[in-house]
Amino acid sequence: MIDRTLISGNSASPVILHVPHSSRVVPDEIRRALLVTDAQLAHELDEITDAHTDTIAARAADVADSRPWTLRNDLSRLVVDPERFPDEREELAAVGRGAVYTRTASGSPLREDNDHAARKTLMDRYFHPYAADFDAAVAARIEATGHAVIVDVHSYPTLPSRYELHADGPRPALCIGTDPHHTPAWLCEAAYAAFADLRDITTDSPFTGTYVPLSRYNTDHRVSSVMIELRRDQYTDNPGAPDIDSIEHIAAMLARLVDAADRASG
Ligand SMILES: [Zn+2]
């Protein structure tokens, strides 16, 4: 089973598309430890999988002027969520949605609480190697171009999940997630410009932040990052098939951001 895939881009491109949440794959031995029925698991995966973001990223890479690099998680976020802080900085840990989820999106038990050995096994087997691979991908872009620009590609459900801590805000067509240390103004502005067709865009609501490997977080300012959170109903009646025209339209906008990041960074 493949845990994740790094898809090569142009050697001169500083851009890495990150696709952390598109997979529904849960290895058997991990499935067996989950405290849910198959029907509950299917429902959970429908709700929390960023369906078809792998296709959106792949098409954007195809049509961008300079092909970006892509790091895709090939396992479900139910295995580990590579984007969470692994420590007390993670506010979602309080609701069982830290790096190793212990609650479903609706708040029912997913794993035993306080099973520290099981958590450590998952962190050692999946979380830390993922972070190391991402760090290596970033290091390669810096080596080649002097910097790295991460575009973190997500989608989110129309109705809020129960675990969301900021569910009262608007749920726009696009939420742009920023980080105070790693999202320069030009990158946020480039995201607004690239996705201007969607009109309905907010910053950091209902989701905030964007991925940077912890090894470089707030220490390596050659690394820029911005998160793209697309409301899922724009391109699929999840869990149904994607609407191809919508996917192509969104991918073209994402390619515009990739091209802007390629030109403007440095
Ligand atoms: Zn996501």
Side-chain angles (χ1 to χ4, degrees):
M1 186 169 295
I2 299 168
D3 293 357
R4 55 198 161 271
T5 303
L6 178 66
I7 304 165
S8 295
N10 187 324
S11 60
S13 174
V15 181
I16 302 171
L17 291 175
H18 186 211
V19 185
H21 293 158
S22 66
S23 174
R24 297 173 68 99
V25 173
V26 180
D28 288 344
E29 75 274 16
I30 291 172
R31 163 67 188 100
R32 279 194 291 274
L34 300 179
L35 308 173
V36 289
T37 65
D38 286 349
Q40 288 169 323
L41 178 61
H43 180 82
E44 175 77 3
L45 289 171
D46 290 347
E47 183 163 352
I48 68 161
T49 304
D50 296 358
H52 311 302
T53 48
D54 49 348
T55 306
I56 291 169
R59 289 299 298 147
D62 285 345
V63 301
D65 291 339
S66 176
R67 177 178 285 276
W69 296 67
T70 302
L71 196 123
R72 183 186 68 214
N73 185 6
D74 293 317
L75 298 177
S76 168
R77 59 197 291 193
L78 287 183
V79 178
V80 295
D81 191 332
E83 296 221 327
R84 303 288 200 240
F85 287 113
D87 51 32
E88 65 285 346
R89 282 175 289 183
E90 182 52 66
E91 64 175 2
L92 284 163
V95 289
R97 303 291 282 185
V100 175
Y101 301 164
T102 57
R103 289 285 178 279
T104 67
S106 58
S108 51
L110 182 68
R111 288 187 173 94
E112 301 289 352
D113 285 320
N114 303 316
D115 188 345
H116 299 297
R119 182 180 191 280
K120 183 175 187 312
T121 300
L122 288 167
M123 294 298 282
D124 289 347
R125 170 69 179 80
Y126 296 104
F127 186 94
H128 298 305
Y130 190 103
D133 279 2
F134 205 105
D135 183 79
V138 168
R141 298 330 323 128
I142 292 174
E143 172 86 25
T145 72
H147 50 272
V149 184
I150 298 162
V151 179
D152 202 12
V153 183
H154 295 254
S155 70
Y156 76 98
T158 310
L159 296 173
S161 295
R162 225 182 94 176
Y163 79 88
E164 287 181 29
L165 300 179
H166 312 284
D168 298 338
R171 300 179 80 75
L174 172 66
C175 162
I176 296 172
T178 69
D179 180 88
H181 309 294
H182 288 279
T183 311
W186 70 260
L187 184 53
C188 189
E189 286 161 14
Y192 268 89
F195 286 90
D197 286 5
L198 295 180
R199 290 192 180 83
D200 180 20
I201 305 176
T202 62
T203 308
D204 290 318
S205 174
F207 299 96
T208 183
T210 184
Y211 184 70
V212 173
L214 271 182
S215 50
R216 296 172 190 274
Y217 186 70
N218 199 17
T219 55
D220 190 342
H221 295 285
R222 297 170 297 180
V223 182
S224 303
S225 184
V226 68
M227 178 171 73
I228 299 303
E229 276 274 12
L230 295 152
R231 204 185 57 234
R232 214 170 284 147
D233 61 3
Q234 297 174 93
Y235 64 84
T236 184
D237 300 325
N238 194 48
D243 179 76
I244 298 300
D245 290 344
S246 304
I247 292 266
E248 289 295 324
H249 183 214
I250 290 168
M253 290 186 275
L254 180 57
R256 244 178 265 163
L257 172 57
V258 167
D259 290 336
D262 194 308
R263 284 192 300 269
S265 60

